Amino acid sequence: MLKTRLGKDILRNKWLYLMVLPVILYYVLFHYVPLYGTIIAFKQFVPSQGIWGSEWVGFKHFEAFFSSIYFIRVIKNTVLLSFFNLLIGFPAPIILALLLNELKSPLFRRITQTITYMPHFITLVVVAGIVRYFTLSDGLINDVIAFFGGARISFLQQPEFFRPIYIISEIWQQIGWGTIIYLAAITGIDQQQYEAAKIDGATKVQQIRHVTLPGILPTIMIMLILALGNIMNVGFEKIILLYSASIYETADVISTFVYRKGILEFSYSYSAAVGLFNSVINFTILLLANSFSKRASKNSLW
């Protein structure tokens, strides 16, 4: 019965199915087929012997990672960086969207939007270059510090400055792009609710609290679930471009550790085991966040 219904639907909408076919092939070829390679996490992979020719070693690489001196460091750095990025970076576009929505001048709002979302289109290498340039010991920030009589600091050589630099640069680059999503959600709110709130004597703050925020709550929850699903995947590329051995203490995260072990030290199986562990943690957090959101706000990804 199902096959008959599916067959009729395919015949009726064959052009739609044909259009979606490249997308399905993309995900199958580049997202599901490579999962086959995770087998090497349970083997002592030797490239000349291939995946199936290499020796099975069970959970040896996982145990080696859990007992290594790097385990606590990379987990701690990953969680702290993700936590502060989520705590500060996630509400930032919501706040900016609420402020832009209250602006009376459409021209000023468009200019502000353009200025804030332009950094999203700057390539990451250029962004890292800008961050490095501004934080050099003879960079702009140190020039300002020196102007007021302070001592110059090599910010990216000091472990305690890495997290603030990373989070501030993330907010600068992504706040405008994230704001577009919330502004789109705000425009979908029924204007009659604002009119009713005004008639009841609600102030601007009360309108935001009782009309705007509840109106965009489903969007906020969906974005939060997606952010939590990637909480262990902090900006790997940006960290690679910004960090150095002198600040591994705070900058080294799981993804950069996997990169060094797999690409630079050729420990393919060990690297695959760490990467698989990271993916399992991300998947578990995503399931928990989705379940919590479904119970708390009736909004969820599935």
Side-chain angles (χ1 to χ4, degrees), residues 236-257:
F236 156 74
E237 297 90 349
K238 182 183 284 184
I239 295 176
I240 286 286
L241 292 167
L242 290 177
Y243 83 162
S244 61
S246 62
I247 56 172
Y248 279 174
E249 180 186 339
T250 57
D252 196 19
V253 296
I254 292 178
S255 52
T256 55
F257 183 69

Side-chain angles (χ1 to χ4, degrees), residues 21-297:
L21 185 61
V23 179
I24 295 173
L25 286 175
Y26 167 78
Y27 277 97
V28 170
L29 290 175
F30 296 104
H31 289 265
Y32 288 96
V33 172
L35 289 175
Y36 160 74
T38 57
I39 294 173
I40 68 172
F42 304 95
K43 291 191 161 222
Q44 190 63 47
F45 177 66
V46 178
S48 60
Q49 297 176 355
I51 292 178
W52 288 111
S54 300
E55 177 190 2
W56 286 98
V57 294
F59 291 94
K60 174 186 171 184
H61 300 297
F62 293 92
E63 293 169 359
F65 175 58
F66 296 150
S67 59
S68 74
I69 59 172
Y70 302 109
F71 176 70
I72 297 297
R73 186 179 78 179
V74 295
I75 294 291
K76 177 186 170 187
N77 288 341
T78 305
V79 170
L80 283 179
L81 208 55
S82 297
F83 173 74
F84 287 122
N85 196 31
L86 196 66
L87 184 70
I88 303 170
F90 185 78
I94 300 173
I95 295 169
L96 181 60
L98 293 175
L99 293 174
L100 288 174
N101 187 54
E102 297 302 323
L103 288 177
K104 298 299 181 187
S105 168
L107 177 62
F108 184 70
R109 180 164 55 186
R110 283 197 294 272
I111 292 172
T112 307
Q113 276 186 265
T114 304
I115 291 172
T116 53
Y117 78 63
M118 283 300 285
H120 175 80
F121 298 100
I122 301 175
T123 177
L124 203 53
V125 176
V126 175
V127 170
I130 293 172
V131 173
R132 280 190 172 277
Y133 176 76
F134 275 84
T135 56
L136 283 172
S137 57
D138 57 350
L140 180 64
I141 295 175
N142 271 306
D143 287 344
V144 174
I145 292 173
F147 178 79
F148 288 101
R152 292 181 179 272
I153 305 168
S154 296
F155 288 102
L156 283 178
Q157 298 298 320
Q158 307 296 325
E160 64 270 25
F161 290 112
F162 179 78
R163 288 181 190 134
I165 290 172
Y166 176 86
I167 291 166
I168 290 170
S169 65
E170 273 292 293
I171 293 173
W172 169 71
Q173 191 180 8
Q174 303 299 341
I175 188 171
W177 187 252
T179 300
I180 293 173
I181 297 170
Y182 296 112
L183 280 173
I186 289 172
T187 56
I189 298 173
D190 189 351
Q191 293 301 310
Q192 289 184 353
Q193 294 185 42
Y194 289 105
E195 297 299 328
K198 290 176 185 174
I199 292 171
D200 290 340
T203 62
K204 280 291 180 186
V205 174
Q206 288 172 328
Q207 289 176 39
I208 291 171
R209 181 181 172 188
H210 297 290
V211 179
T212 309
L213 283 176
I216 63 173
L217 185 60
T219 305
I220 294 174
M221 294 307 298
I222 295 297
M223 297 302 292
L224 181 61
I225 293 170
L226 293 173
L228 288 172
N230 284 312
I231 196 167
M232 301 294 277
N233 289 333
V234 287
F236 156 74
E237 297 90 349
K238 182 183 284 184
I239 295 176
I240 286 286
L241 292 167
L242 290 177
Y243 83 162
S244 61
S246 62
I247 56 172
Y248 279 174
E249 180 186 339
T250 57
D252 196 19
V253 296
I254 292 178
S255 52
T256 55
F257 183 69
V258 169
Y259 166 77
R260 284 204 315 279
K261 286 292 177 183
I263 304 298
L264 303 182
E265 300 179 16
F266 308 108
S267 301
Y268 303 115
S269 295
Y270 185 83
S271 175
V274 179
L276 183 58
F277 165 75
N278 189 33
S279 299
V280 170
I281 296 293
N282 270 331
F283 185 61
T284 304
I285 293 173
L286 177 64
L287 290 178
L288 291 174
N290 190 69
S291 175
F292 175 76
S293 174
K294 197 172 185 177
R295 292 182 182 181
S297 68

Side-chain angles (χ1 to χ4, degrees), residues 1-13 17:
M1 181 66 182
L2 181 63
K3 289 182 179 178
T4 305
R5 191 185 303 168
L6 180 62
K8 288 181 179 177
D9 191 61
I10 291 174
L11 283 175
R12 188 167 52 247
N13 302 297
Y17 280 99

